[in-house]
Amino acid sequence: MSSIVTLNNGLKMPLVGLGCWKIPNAVCADQVYNAIKLGYRLFDGATDYGNEVEVGQGIKRAIDEKIVTRADLFIVSKLWNSFHRPDHVKENITRNLKDLGLDYVDLYYIHFPIAFKHVPMTEKYPPGFYSGAEAQAKGVILTEKVPLIDTYRAMESLVDEGLIKSIGISNYNGGLVQDCLNYARIKPVCLQVEHHPYLTQRNLMDYCKLHQIQVVAYSSFGPQSYVELQSELAIETVPLFEHATIKKIAAAHGVSTSQVLLRWATQQGIAIIPKSSKQERLVENLTVEKALTLTAEELKEINALNINLRFNNPWDWMGMKFPIFA
Ligand SMILES: NC(=O)c1ccc[n+]([C@@H]2O[C@H](COP(=O)([O-])OP(=O)(O)OC[C@H]3O[C@@H](n4cnc5c(N)ncnc54)[C@H](OP(=O)(O)O)[C@@H]3O)[C@@H](O)[C@H]2O)c1
């Protein structure tokens, strides 16, 4: 089990969870079930990952076998970009809950601060980057003029209705986080962003700490997740697993380079959700807090690897140039 953090609404969340993006449908239910057996309690899912039915099956099996109760788990989902209009927010969470087989999620994020044109579920679900057949044929994404505050108000209503316990924001830059704090009736508990030694975002981390927003790191292994997607940028970047500094520190502690990368985050109070579809990696990732403690000098050395290199950038989505990051 990992350590637990208390969020700004009093809810307890494990510092280490399992990321569910790209876990193949065929192995997902087993992976979630096995992860629960090994001690995972936090599962980071999303509409967009297309595997919530299987995540739900894994959870159900563990609950049926009395390995855990629902209350022991911290289940996360995310509102997709095509459901930003207030009347579509409830439609999205209703489908998430149906697929997961649950009556609430612990945390529901706005996945990206970008509103795509709505796609009826009967046409395509999850819609991904599809925003209608015509747009698809032209290779573009259509957007809708939905201010984020309107989407956020609808998220607050979901808390009022008991469908979600807390609100998260994801892929928000500092300005958007600050703006959100100006209008939030119910404060966001977490900010989920890409975070690894090549992209440390010191000011954003400090700002969130100052305002009691828990940062959750995604893609903790940097380029690795995007090599699988054939990203040229990721392919040409030195893998963090192979970086001389990370290798040297791993050797000094007798641990794997992946554990150094994860511990570097948790030691700074940042939650992690490493994804793996391989059973053998589940334990390695869950136990990082016990595996090692980095020295102040080592933390500094890893922080110095920052080159503001981002792999998940909506600027690149089908060449649409959404400028949410600098
Ligand atoms: N909010 C967002 O926009 C957003 C974006 C991206 C990701 N996320 C969330 O964050 C989670 C994690 O990010 P991610 O999936 O991009 O990447 P990640 O956790 O950095 O994992 C990347 C790859 O590393 C491999 N791996 C895992 N553990 C390993 C280990 N101990 N040693 C060596 N390789 C290992 C995995 O491959 P194998 O499966 O082969 O083990 C995985 O495909 C996602 O699953 C998702 O829940 C959110």
Side-chain angles (χ1 to χ4, degrees):
M1 294 253 190
S2 75
S3 55
I4 304 285
V5 289
T6 303
L7 303 174
N8 65 34
N9 62 357
L11 220 62
K12 310 261 187 220
M13 183 182 86
L15 199 60
V16 184
L18 178 67
C20 297
W21 183 36
K22 298 196 251 100
I23 298 186
N25 296 70
V27 299
C28 186
D30 282 347
Q31 190 70 350
V32 168
Y33 168 78
N34 286 321
I36 294 174
K37 278 218 304 203
L38 291 168
Y40 279 82
R41 296 293 177 262
L42 161 60
F43 292 88
D44 185 83
T47 300
D48 191 47
Y49 302 164
N51 55 13
E52 289 200 306
V53 169
E54 291 80 4
V55 170
Q57 288 166 351
I59 293 170
K60 182 175 184 316
R61 191 171 154 205
I63 293 177
D64 286 351
E65 291 182 14
K66 303 204 183 323
I67 298 167
V68 284
T69 65
R70 169 66 186 90
D72 296 328
L73 299 172
F74 193 99
I75 306 300
V76 177
S77 185
K78 305 188 190 81
L79 177 86
W80 184 239
N81 307 346
S82 319
F83 298 93
H84 272 219
R85 239 175 56 197
D87 50 327
H88 295 139
V89 171
K90 178 110 181 247
E91 184 193 1
N92 197 163
I93 185 68
T94 303
R95 175 66 183 260
N96 300 124
L97 293 175
K98 178 174 167 281
D99 286 355
L100 288 164
L102 302 175
D103 49 17
Y104 70 90
V105 290
D106 297 277
L107 172 58
Y108 198 50
Y109 285 100
I110 297 179
H111 204 150
F112 283 92
I114 302 170
F116 289 175
K117 184 177 180 297
H118 180 247
V119 176
M121 289 184 182
T122 46
E123 195 173 329
K124 193 171 194 293
Y125 185 86
F129 293 165
Y130 173 90
S131 53
E134 214 174 299
Q136 187 76 3
K138 288 186 191 149
V140 296
I141 302 168
L142 301 180
T143 54
E144 270 189 25
K145 293 191 176 177
V146 188
L148 274 172
I149 185 173
D150 293 355
T151 307
Y152 198 87
R153 290 278 176 256
M155 298 281 281
E156 291 175 325
S157 298
L158 301 183
V159 177
D160 297 338
E161 290 182 62
L163 298 174
I164 69 175
K165 297 271 186 216
S166 13
I167 304 174
I169 49 182
S170 180
N171 296 300
Y172 276 39
N173 62 30
L176 289 178
V177 177
Q178 189 178 26
D179 190 42
C180 182
L181 290 179
N182 286 335
Y183 58 69
R185 169 172 66 84
I186 302 172
K187 202 171 162 176
V189 294
C190 289
L191 170 72
Q192 186 176 120
V193 285
E194 180 178 339
H195 177 266
H196 43 73
Y198 290 147
L199 183 67
T200 58
Q201 306 165 93
R202 193 64 268 160
N203 293 353
L204 186 59
M205 302 299 114
D206 288 351
Y207 184 79
C208 286
K209 195 175 267 182
L210 203 62
H211 292 274
Q212 292 82 45
I213 299 173
Q214 174 66 46
V215 174
V216 178
Y218 76 69
S219 303
S220 297
F221 302 136
Q224 191 66 23
S225 188
Y226 304 89
V227 167
E228 295 168 19
L229 298 177
Q230 310 299 324
S231 148
E232 274 178 38
L233 179 63
I235 291 166
E236 71 196 19
T237 301
V238 175
L240 279 166
F241 294 139
E242 303 298 326
H243 195 288
T245 303
I246 306 295
K247 279 170 83 171
K248 181 193 78 178
I249 295 172
H253 290 271
V255 299
S256 65
T257 47
S258 54
Q259 288 188 310
V260 170
L261 295 168
L262 296 177
R263 189 64 177 126
W264 165 77
T266 63
Q267 229 176 291
Q268 300 176 83
I270 294 171
I272 50 167
I273 43 169
K275 169 262 177 182
S276 182
S277 6
K278 305 206 168 59
Q279 261 201 62
E280 60 274 17
R281 286 176 173 163
L282 288 176
V283 175
E284 186 182 350
N285 293 347
L286 182 64
T287 54
V288 284
E289 289 172 281
K290 289 216 174 80
L292 76 154
T293 300
L294 298 162
T295 65
E297 189 52 41
E298 287 167 338
L299 286 171
K300 216 167 127 190
E301 265 186 274
I302 302 175
N303 284 330
L305 302 183
N306 180 45
I307 44 173
N308 301 321
L309 185 56
R310 185 185 300 280
F311 297 99
N312 193 11
N313 194 341
W315 183 259
D316 303 323
W317 289 352
M318 293 167 72
M320 291 303 296
K321 306 209 181 305
F322 294 115
I324 63 172
F325 301 114

